[in-house]
Amino acid sequence: MGEGREYLGEFEQVVLLALARLGDGGYGAEIHAEILDATGRDVSIPAVYVTLKRLEGKAMVSSSIRRPAGGGRALRVYTLEAAGSEALHRSRELFDRLWDSPHLDTGSAS
Amino acid sequence: MTRRPPGLARRVVHLLVPEADRTFVLGDLDERFREILDSEGATAARRWYWRQAALSVPTLLASRAEGLVRGLGGGDLRRAVRVLLRRPQYSAGVAGTLALGVASAMVLGGLAWQVWLRPLPLPDSERLVRVYELEPGDAPGDRTRFPVSPPLLQELRGHDWRHLTGFAGILQSSPEWMVDGEVRHLRGALVSPGFFDVLGIAPRHGRALRRVREEAEGASEAVLSEEFWLRAFGGDPGVVGSTMDLGGVSHTIVGVVPQNGEYPEPVDLFTPLLWDPYQLAEGFRGARYVGAVGRVAPSSSIDVASSELAAFTEALGDAWPSHVGWSGEVVSLRADLVRPYRAALRLLLGAGLAFLALSLVNVFGLSTARALERSREAAVRLALGASRARLGRTALLEGAALGLVGGCVALVVGHLAIAGSVRWLPEGMPRTTDLGLSAGEGVLWLGLSVLAGALVVALARWLVPVAEAPTSGTRVSRTLVGGRAVVVGQFALTTLLVGVGALAWERSAELLDRDLGFVADDVWTGLVALPQTLDGGWEERRDTWTALLRDLEDRGYRAAISTNPPMSGSNNRFDYRRFAEDEQKFGQYAIVSPGYFDVLGIRIEEGRPFRPGESSPAVIISRTLADEVFPGESPVGLTLSILQEDREIVGVAESTAHFGPDAPPTPMMYVSYEAENWAFTRLIVAGDEGVVRAIPAAVEATIPGARPISVIPYGRHLSEWFRPLRIQLGIVGALALIGSLLAALGLYSAISFQVRGRLPELGVRVALGATRATILTTVLWRGLILAGVGLSLGMALWWSGRDILAEALGAAEAGLSATSIAFTAAAILGVALVAVAIPARRAASADPLETFRAG
C-alpha cells in the first residue's frame, strides 16, 4: 500500500468515526442513523455500504453476519479494526498540523 | 395505505447493489423507511426512499466501474490474455477479422459521412443552394438541368425574393500571371461581386470584390486565395493594394479570402464576373454556362424557394420567346456537389456496415469453434467451483481484449487509409481535401470494437453448452452447418461484388473505348462573346468571327467555332420534321465554321463540308438524324424542315456523343456561321499549351473590348464526364477486395475448425498409410466445394437481380461476358484456395501421435 493511501477520504472518515462512536460495531442502518444524529447529514445507505466494503478491503473494518437472537433479518455487522483506528488518528494529526498556523483562526468558524 | 417502499426506486437499488450486499442494503433501507413511515408519514417516507435511491446511483455506478477496472487489472484479465496467447492463430484471426470489419466501417462509412452528409464548412451551409435552368418538358424528373445564362443570372440578382436572399455566379478560368518576365498558369474563378457574401466567407485581409453598382470599375480587381497568398507572396499583408498582370491586364489585389477546400473548388485567385450590356440581351438567353449559387432565406426551405424560382423563371417565357417552356430549380449545394457520386456513396455506406456485420459473423464463427474446443475445460472449471458469472466475465474480457487489439489495428489501418485517401481515391472526388479521423471518432470506433468483441465472443461462449465434447452432439453439428452456411453466404456476396467490379470494369472500358465521333486530344476551348459595339448585325458578326479565326490560323493553329460543341454541357435545341404532316422532333443545333469538323476530327460521311463563304441556309446533318429521317436513302440534296424553314442538306457528318458516351446519339444539325450567327460562341483550337496565350491575344487583336472566358483543355469536358465512372470503378474494386478478404477469413476459420475436429480421423488415416498429398487434396476440396457453392449461389443471385444491378450501375444490362465470368470464378476460387491452404497444410503435416493426443 502506498503512503498516500494511508490517509482517509472525507466520507471514509465520517463512516469510520460513526462506527467508532457506536462502540462494539454496527450495521448499515445504525451507522447511517449515527451519522444523521451527529452531523445532520442524511447520507445514502448504499453509499455507506460501498464505503464500508472499501474500508474492509483495506483491513480497517471487518464484518460478520449476525442473526438477532429473537429472529428477524440477517445483518452484516461491521467492527472497527486497529488499522482503521490508526488511520483515523493519522488523519486527525494531519489536520491538526495543517490547522496549526498563526494565519488560521482556530477559534471561530468564520 | 401500503407500507411498502416505492417499487421502482427499490428496483433501481436492487439492480445496482452488488449481489453479496443486496439483502443487507435493501433490508436497512426498508427498516429506515418503516421508521420514517411511522414517525413522519407515507409521503415523507417515500420521498426519503427516492432520495436514497437517487443519491446511491452515482456511488454505486462508480463502485461497479471500479470493480470492473480492478477485475481488468487482476487475475481475470491476466488469465484471459494467457488463454489468448496460448492460441495465437485464433486470437490473430478474431482480432484481424474485427480489425478488418471496423476499419472497413470506419473508412467506408466515414468517407460516406464526410463526403456526402457532413455539412459544408460554411456558415449556415444547409441554406446554400445551386441554381439550375430546366429544359422544356413534361416530366419534372426527366428534364435536363443546365447552368444559367448571363441574362437570367442578372435577373435573379436583381429580383426581390421572398424565400431567397442572394445569388452569385461562378465560372472557371485559367489566368496567366506575368511575373518577372515569366508566364505562370494559375487556377482562377470568375465570380459575381457578392459571391463571398452569399457563401458567408469574410476576407482574411482587405475586402471582397466590389458590389454591383461599382462593377464597371471592378474589372481589374483580384482577390487571392489564402493558400496562394501564402505560397506566392509569403503571406505578406502588404500585397493588398499592389497589382498583378493577368493576361496583360493589370489587376489590383484587393483582398485575401480563406478557402475551405470544398466549395468553391480550390483556386489561386478570384476575379470579377462582369457582363457588358449586350451579354445580358435576349440573344444570350441560350448561353447557359454560368454556375450559380444562392442562399435560402432563414425562415424558408429549399423546396419553397425552388417553387418561387420555378414560378419566376417560367414567367420569363411570356416576355422572351426563346425562354418559353424553360423553368428553374434550386437544389442543396451540399447534395449537388456529390450528386453524380450519390449512388457510389450509398454503396460505400452500405458496404461499410455490411462488412462490419460480416466480420462480426466471422468472429462469432471463430469464437463458437473455440468455445466448442474449450467446453471440457469450462466444465472442469465449473466443477471446481467457478461460477457461470465468472466464466461469462472471462469470455467478456477475452473478447474485449481481442476487440482492443483489433480496434487498435483498425485505427492504424483506418487512419492510414483515410489520410492516404487523397492518393487512392479517384482524382476529382469532391469534398475529399480535408479527410481525417478526429480523436473523438477514434475513441468511438475503438470503443465499438471492444464492445463488439466482448459481446460476440461472450455470446458464442454462452450458446455453446459447457459439458459437451468438442466434436459431438447436435449443437456442434448445427454450429458446423451454420458455419458452412455463413461461409457459403460470404462467398456468394463476394461473387456478387467481384461480378459488379467486373461489370463496372467492362462498362467503363467499353465507354472509354467507345467512338465519341470526335477527338479532343490537344484541343482547347474558350467562350467568346462580342461586345455590343460589334453586334450590329449578322454580317458584322460574321466578319468578326472570320477575322478571329484567320488571326489564329496566322498564328499557326487550326481554329474553329461552334455554338454547341459535344460533351461541353451546352444545349441548343431545334425542332425538325421532313414533311408538314410528320410529328415534330427535337435535336441539337450548332452554328459552326467550316474548319469545325476538321479540328474535332468529325468525319463527313456523305456530301461535303461547309465551304468558306457559304452563306446559304444549307445544313449538314448527323448520321443519326439522317438514318432517322431518311432511312435507306441518301439525304444529300434533299430538304428538311428545321425551325419551320426548309433547308437543303449538303452533307452528313459522323454522329457525336453530344451528351456523353452512354447517352443515345443525339440528332445534330449544323449550319455555317456565314449564313447565321450569334454574338457568342465557343472557340475550338487545336495546338499545344501556347493556345492558352494565343486565344486571348487573337481575341484582343481582332475584337477590341472582348475577353475570352474560361480557356480550358477540351479534355476537361470529357474527364468531368468520366470522373464519376472512374470513382465508381475504384469503389467497387475496393469493396470486392474487402469482401474477398472477409470471405477468405470466414472460409479459413471454418476449414480450420473442421480440420481440428477431424484431426483424430486424419491421424488414423495417416497411420493407416494415407499419403500427405491425399490428405492435402481432401481438405483443399472441402474448402473449394464450399467456395464453389457460394460462387454458384452468387452467380444465381446475380442472374436474378441483374436488372437491379444494371440500374444501380447505370448500364443498359448487367449481363457478364464469358471473360468476366471466368475472371470472377477464378478470383473466387483463388481466394478460397489461399484461405484453405494453411489448414490443409496443417492437416497434411499432422503427426498421428499428436493428433490422437489432441482428440
Side-chain angles (χ1 to χ4, degrees):
Chain A
M1 189 184 289
E3 198 180 331
R5 296 292 297 144
E6 291 178 15
Y7 293 100
L8 297 165
E10 189 255 354
F11 194 61
E12 286 176 333
Q13 285 189 54
V14 169
V15 171
L16 278 180
L17 284 168
L19 189 58
R21 285 165 66 98
L22 286 171
D24 55 349
Y27 62 100
E30 285 179 330
I31 298 168
H32 168 263
E34 185 61 33
I35 295 170
L36 185 62
D37 286 348
T39 67
R41 283 170 65 181
D42 187 6
V43 298
S44 136
I45 290 176
V48 170
Y49 271 93
V50 168
T51 306
L52 284 167
K53 189 155 192 149
R54 196 183 312 131
L55 291 168
E56 194 174 15
K58 297 178 192 173
M60 292 183 185
V61 299
S62 59
S63 71
S64 58
I65 309 292
R66 192 183 299 165
R67 284 194 179 276
R73 67 187 177 94
L75 304 170
R76 187 186 287 277
V77 176
Y78 287 88
T79 313
L80 184 65
E81 293 296 329
S85 187
E86 280 171 25
L88 276 174
H89 282 102
R90 262 198 313 277
S91 294
R92 181 173 183 167
E93 281 167 21
L94 172 78
F95 282 105
D96 285 346
R97 279 202 301 275
L98 285 169
W99 275 104
D100 186 15
S101 164
H103 302 293
L104 285 167
D105 177 7
T106 53
S108 75
S110 67
Chain B
M1 181 177 290
T2 175
R3 291 180 59 82
R4 295 162 69 92
L8 184 59
R10 198 170 193 279
R11 185 79 199 146
V12 169
V13 178
H14 183 275
L15 274 176
L16 292 175
V17 172
E19 195 178 352
D21 291 331
R22 200 171 285 151
T23 317
F24 309 112
V25 172
L26 290 173
D28 282 8
L29 284 169
D30 291 352
E31 181 183 314
R32 180 73 186 132
F33 172 78
R34 282 191 294 273
E35 284 171 15
I36 299 173
L37 188 73
D38 292 340
S39 60
E40 299 174 41
T43 308
R46 292 177 72 81
R47 194 183 302 133
W48 176 85
Y49 204 106
W50 267 111
R51 188 169 173 275
Q52 281 283 316
L55 282 175
S56 306
V57 170
T59 314
L60 292 172
L61 280 177
S63 167
R64 280 282 168 121
E66 195 183 320
L68 186 67
V69 171
R70 212 180 299 127
L72 285 174
D76 283 339
L77 181 64
R78 275 198 298 277
R79 183 184 152 67
V81 171
R82 212 168 44 237
V83 167
L84 293 175
L85 289 177
R86 220 183 293 151
R87 294 284 184 194
Q89 276 185 358
Y90 159 75
S91 306
V94 170
T97 309
L98 266 175
L100 194 60
V102 173
S104 304
M106 193 192 304
V107 175
L108 301 177
L111 269 179
W113 157 256
Q114 296 212 22
V115 175
W116 184 18
L117 303 169
R118 183 174 47 104
L120 286 167
L122 290 165
D124 211 1
S125 62
E126 291 302 293
R127 290 200 291 118
L128 287 171
V129 288
R130 189 109 79 175
V131 186
Y132 285 106
E133 289 193 56
L134 290 178
E135 69 168 357
D138 297 327
D142 295 340
R143 296 169 75 169
T144 311
R145 290 168 168 172
F146 290 93
V148 303
S149 65
L152 181 65
L153 178 65
Q154 191 71 0
E155 281 154 352
L156 295 177
R157 283 162 60 78
H159 185 68
D160 188 15
W161 297 94
R162 243 186 98 194
H163 299 287
L164 291 143
T165 59
F167 287 98
I170 179 168
L171 274 179
Q172 281 185 352
S173 67
S174 307
E176 287 193 318
W177 182 24
M178 306 292 288
V179 56
D180 301 331
E182 282 184 22
V183 176
R184 284 173 63 180
H185 296 274
L186 304 182
R187 299 166 305 165
L190 298 158
V191 295
S192 304
F195 177 76
F196 298 109
D197 288 342
V198 171
L199 295 186
I201 298 175
R204 196 77 84 197
H205 296 285
R207 60 170 173 81
L209 299 167
R210 286 185 188 170
R211 306 293 311 189
V212 179
R213 56 181 170 276
E214 294 158 301
E215 277 176 6
E217 299 155 53
S220 58
E221 288 185 345
V223 167
L224 308 183
S225 74
E226 191 172 29
E227 187 271 330
F228 177 66
W229 173 61
L230 290 169
R231 179 161 41 90
F233 297 99
D236 175 15
V239 79
V240 174
S242 64
T243 58
M244 59 193 298
D245 182 338
L246 298 175
V249 178
S250 174
H251 284 66
T252 305
I253 300 169
V254 297
V256 177
V257 290
Q259 284 202 110
N260 57 42
E262 296 187 13
Y263 189 83
E265 278 187 27
V267 294
D268 298 323
L269 50 80
F270 299 88
T271 47
L273 176 63
L274 304 170
W275 312 109
D276 288 329
Y278 71 93
Q279 291 172 304
L280 305 173
E282 164 73 358
F284 263 71
R285 264 187 202 283
R288 298 181 174 90
Y289 62 91
V290 188
V293 288
R295 188 173 271 276
V296 174
S299 56
S300 193
S301 70
I302 291 180
D303 284 345
V304 173
S306 195
S307 303
E308 187 183 21
L309 186 100
F312 175 80
T313 44
E314 282 162 21
L316 290 174
D318 299 339
W320 311 108
S322 63
H323 203 77
V324 172
W326 284 81
S327 183
E329 69 172 347
V330 301
V331 292
S332 156
L333 178 62
R334 174 183 55 76
D336 196 56
L337 282 174
V338 293
R339 185 161 47 97
Y341 312 97
R342 210 164 42 193
L345 290 168
R346 213 177 280 145
L347 190 67
L348 273 184
L349 193 62
L353 294 176
F355 288 150
L356 182 62
L358 275 180
S359 76
L360 293 182
V361 169
N362 272 347
V363 169
F364 180 76
L366 285 166
S367 303
T368 307
R370 178 85 179 117
L372 282 165
E373 280 182 3
R374 293 184 57 199
S375 60
R376 274 187 199 163
E377 178 197 328
V380 171
R381 286 186 67 196
L382 274 180
L384 290 176
S387 65
R388 280 187 181 272
R390 182 83 189 266
L391 290 185
R393 192 162 66 172
T394 310
L396 274 173
L397 283 172
E398 275 183 32
L402 291 172
L404 187 67
V405 174
C408 288
V409 174
L411 277 185
V412 173
V413 172
H415 176 73
L416 290 175
I418 294 174
S421 60
V422 180
R423 280 192 292 278
W424 62 263
L425 271 178
E427 192 187 342
M429 182 102 168
R431 307 196 65 195
T432 53
T433 47
D434 194 25
L435 293 178
L437 196 64
S438 72
E441 287 164 347
V443 170
L444 195 73
W445 284 111
L446 193 62
L448 179 78
S449 181
V450 170
L451 188 70
L455 292 180
V456 173
V457 170
L459 180 70
R461 198 72 54 84
W462 181 64
L463 287 175
V464 173
V466 286
E468 210 153 18
T471 54
S472 67
T474 52
R475 184 77 71 95
V476 183
S477 308
R478 277 205 299 274
T479 308
L480 272 171
V481 172
R484 283 181 202 147
V486 167
V487 170
V488 167
Q490 283 178 341
F491 269 88
L493 180 75
T494 308
T495 302
L496 269 178
L497 284 171
V498 175
V500 170
L503 181 71
W505 180 265
E506 270 184 16
R507 181 166 175 264
S508 56
E510 186 226 340
L511 288 179
L512 284 166
D513 274 357
R514 195 174 282 181
D515 184 5
L516 301 174
F518 67 97
V519 182
D521 300 339
D522 297 323
V523 176
W524 298 71
T525 181
L527 197 81
V528 186
L530 298 181
Q532 200 171 27
T533 48
L534 288 171
D535 197 13
W538 74 269
E539 284 170 321
E540 197 172 351
R541 290 199 295 265
R542 175 198 63 197
D543 294 344
T544 309
W545 295 132
T546 304
L548 175 62
L549 291 173
R550 197 162 293 153
D551 185 292
L552 281 162
E553 277 159 19
D554 290 346
R555 291 170 196 265
Y557 298 108
R558 287 182 298 134
I561 58 171
S562 169
T563 52
N564 192 11
M567 286 178 73
S568 64
S570 63
N571 178 7
N572 298 133
R573 286 204 329 169
F574 75 103
D575 58 83
Y576 63 89
R577 67 182 86 191
R578 185 175 183 185
F579 303 112
E581 63 273 20
D582 287 351
E583 187 192 346
Q584 192 178 46
K585 293 183 175 172
F586 296 93
Q588 288 290 313
Y589 179 96
I591 296 167
V592 301
S593 62
Y596 170 75
F597 301 101
D598 173 51
V599 173
L600 277 184
I602 301 170
R603 286 193 312 276
I604 299 295
E605 297 181 345
E606 280 184 63
R608 60 170 177 82
F610 292 126
R611 298 185 182 116
E614 179 122 27
S615 57
S616 72
V619 295
I620 292 173
I621 61 173
S622 69
R623 171 57 62 197
T624 309
L625 181 56
D627 289 348
E628 185 188 302
V629 183
F630 307 97
E633 60 181 317
S634 171
V636 176
L638 302 177
T639 58
L640 186 66
S641 169
I642 290 167
L643 298 168
Q644 283 84 53
E645 187 188 335
D646 283 343
R647 310 272 189 116
E648 186 197 348
I649 298 162
V650 296
V652 177
E654 181 182 7
S655 292
T656 53
H658 196 80
F659 292 117
D662 66 334
T666 310
M668 288 291 305
M669 189 278 285
Y670 304 94
V671 65
S672 167
Y673 83 104
E674 292 177 274
E676 189 177 324
N677 53 51
W678 293 350
F680 65 88
T681 189
R682 279 183 192 272
L683 257 180
I684 299 158
V685 185
D688 55 18
E689 278 210 348
V691 173
V692 179
R693 282 188 297 281
I695 290 180
V699 169
E700 196 181 340
T702 54
I703 319 172
R707 285 174 295 128
I709 298 169
S710 297
V711 179
I712 55 169
Y714 205 102
R716 200 179 292 175
H717 290 313
L718 273 57
S719 58
E720 286 279 326
W721 195 94
F722 281 107
R723 201 156 69 173
L725 193 71
R726 282 201 305 270
I727 289 173
Q728 191 185 50
L729 191 64
I731 287 171
V732 170
L735 297 187
L737 190 70
I738 299 170
S740 304
L741 271 173
L742 277 171
L745 273 168
L747 183 65
Y748 166 77
S749 61
I751 297 294
S752 290
F753 174 60
Q754 281 190 17
V755 165
R756 188 161 293 280
R758 293 181 62 223
L759 275 179
E761 177 205 327
L762 294 172
V764 171
R765 288 177 64 181
V766 171
L768 290 177
T771 63
R772 299 201 184 280
T774 316
I775 304 252
L776 189 76
T777 316
T778 310
V779 178
L780 281 178
W781 265 118
R782 278 178 188 276
L784 289 179
I785 286 169
L786 279 185
V789 174
L791 177 68
S792 312
L793 185 64
M795 288 287 182
L797 283 173
W798 175 279
W799 184 250
S800 55
R802 62 191 187 284
D803 291 342
I804 301 166
L805 285 170
E807 197 183 325
L809 289 170
E813 55 179 42
L816 279 175
S817 69
T819 318
S820 289
I821 291 174
F823 167 77
T824 306
I828 294 294
L829 294 177
V831 165
L833 203 61
V834 172
V836 182
I838 299 170
R841 270 194 58 202
R842 194 188 303 139
S845 58
D847 180 340
L849 286 176
E850 285 293 323
T851 53
F852 287 135
R853 235 175 267 142

